[in-house]
Amino acid sequence: MVKEVMTDKQMQFIAWLITTATDKCQTIDEVKEMNKEIRKHSAGLTEQEKKETEE
């Protein structure tokens, strides 16, 4: 099993990307919807997590 390690720069970029996207949201419901979309498109989700984000 190969374990991939992200660099600090990669983590900083991901944090910037998420905060930039959620900053555009006006309500907490919009933030939650954005989070659902992020989770849906993230690699490595378990089948249970995928089902939960679809609800």
Side-chain angles (χ1 to χ4, degrees):
M1 176 186 199
V2 175
K3 184 175 182 177
E4 294 182 31
V5 178
M6 291 178 50
T7 66
D8 285 344
K9 287 213 180 265
Q10 288 171 318
M11 288 297 293
Q12 289 169 351
F13 174 75
I14 291 169
W16 171 83
L17 188 62
I18 292 169
T19 57
T20 300
T22 56
D23 279 348
K24 293 180 180 5
C25 297
Q26 299 291 316
T27 66
I28 191 66
D29 289 333
E30 289 177 348
V31 173
K32 289 178 180 180
E33 190 60 35
M34 177 73 67
N35 287 341
K36 272 187 189 177
E37 288 298 310
I38 292 168
R39 285 186 198 99
K40 190 185 332 180
H41 297 286
S42 295
L45 290 181
T46 66
E47 287 303 313
Q48 181 61 36
E49 289 171 322
K50 287 180 186 176
K51 288 178 186 174
E52 289 171 4
T53 60
E54 292 171 358
E55 295 174 352

